[in-house]
Amino acid sequence: MREKGKLRRALQAAFPHTIPIFAGFCFLGLTYGIYMRVSGFEFWYPMLMSLLIFAGSVEFITVNMLLGAFHPLQALAITLMVNARHLFYGLSMLDRYRGNGPKDIYLIYGMCDESFSINYAAEIPEDVDKGWFLFFVTLLNHFYWVLGATLGGLSGSLLHFNLEGLEFVMTAMFVVIFLEQWRKEKEHTSALAGLGVSLLCLAVFGADHFILPAMAVMLGVLTLLRKRLEKGGGVKCR
């Protein structure tokens, strides 16, 4: 009973943080499922791919890979390039994910942009188990993506409307997460550093190539500023 109570408290604490992700993932997952369906795949393709791959950008790219000639090395290279930012996510979460036992395996597998944003910044209540909180955030986000992709796959052959611009829902969601984190921070050094580095790398490397350099520079800057940020309350890593 005590273990069930711990799980329930962690789930109840995690769920509100994932509500914006639910809206974004359902819309974008629906788009992906419909895209797969109209490309000639049965509904179980997007369902299984969203469950096993769980990397939205790669899943969209995989559609063309499956329709074209099979080039395993090219597929590997593209996947590594598209998801290379997760290297920086992983480094940032070393302290956060340490000591959670077997749950760490799923936390590492299920890390995505949205789960990283929540698990890194969330203030976990004192009476909630940290490991289970992180686990349920990851599990709920994973479930939302699978749900959206499956519904899209099932309804793809029935719906016919213009989906152009629907992917902007994820951009809007990250803006909301950023503003919420800005509101919680006592000082905004990390946020301003992130914006400054991103704009600088965008100007230097261009829109198609700025993400990885920006992530690398941000990691270095935040590492140098870590003690100052922790002392000032700008970074919370319970």
Side-chain angles (χ1 to χ4, degrees):
M1 290 297 292
R2 182 175 299 178
E3 184 66 21
K4 289 183 179 179
K6 180 192 297 186
L7 295 178
R8 184 172 61 254
R9 285 195 302 273
L11 178 59
Q12 290 173 343
F15 175 69
H17 291 273
T18 68
I19 292 176
I21 314 301
F22 170 73
F25 270 15
C26 278
F27 275 108
L28 195 58
L30 188 70
T31 306
Y32 166 65
I34 293 173
Y35 178 47
M36 285 288 290
R37 196 76 170 95
V38 300
S39 298
F41 296 95
E42 295 296 329
F43 81 92
W44 52 268
Y45 272 87
M47 181 180 69
L48 289 180
M49 288 171 64
S50 60
L51 178 65
L52 300 175
I53 299 176
F54 192 39
S57 301
V58 172
E59 290 175 48
F60 276 96
I61 295 171
T62 303
V63 178
N64 291 325
M65 292 182 183
L66 292 174
L67 292 173
F70 180 55
H71 297 290
L73 293 180
Q74 183 185 59
L76 176 63
I78 291 175
T79 302
L80 289 175
M81 281 193 338
V82 170
N83 280 337
R85 65 190 184 281
H86 287 253
L87 294 171
F88 304 106
Y89 292 169
L91 290 172
S92 300
M93 297 299 284
L94 285 175
D95 291 336
R96 194 72 155 171
Y97 280 0
R98 185 176 289 117
N100 297 310
K103 292 188 287 295
D104 281 341
I105 298 174
Y106 179 69
L107 291 175
I108 294 170
Y109 165 76
M111 181 185 290
C112 62
D113 300 343
E114 296 74 19
S115 296
F116 167 78
S117 298
I118 295 174
N119 284 337
Y120 183 80
E123 298 179 27
I124 304 174
E126 294 290 342
D127 62 337
V128 172
D129 182 90
K130 183 191 76 169
W132 282 116
F133 176 90
L134 302 175
F135 177 86
F136 280 123
V137 166
T138 306
L139 181 65
L140 287 169
N141 289 340
H142 195 175
F143 170 72
Y144 301 151
W145 180 250
V146 175
L147 176 64
T150 302
L151 292 176
L154 288 171
S155 60
S157 60
L158 304 175
L159 301 177
H160 303 282
F161 55 89
N162 187 4
L163 298 174
E164 184 177 355
L166 190 60
E167 67 276 5
F168 184 75
V169 69
M170 300 307 292
T171 303
M173 182 194 66
F174 275 113
V175 171
V176 171
I177 291 174
F178 173 81
L179 292 175
E180 180 66 15
Q181 183 62 18
W182 178 282
R183 186 181 66 83
K184 289 181 179 179
E185 287 181 336
K186 295 180 179 179
E187 60 176 82
H188 307 299
T189 304
S190 59
L192 293 173
L195 285 174
V197 168
S198 298
L199 292 174
L200 177 62
C201 289
L202 178 62
V204 173
F205 298 100
D208 295 330
H209 306 288
F210 83 99
I211 293 180
L212 291 182
M215 294 294 292
V217 175
M218 275 191 275
L219 180 64
V221 170
L222 292 177
T223 299
L224 292 175
L225 296 175
R226 179 174 180 176
K227 290 184 178 179
R228 175 187 169 185
L229 292 172
E230 289 179 343
K231 184 177 180 180
V235 172
K236 298 178 178 63
C237 294
R238 285 185 60 237

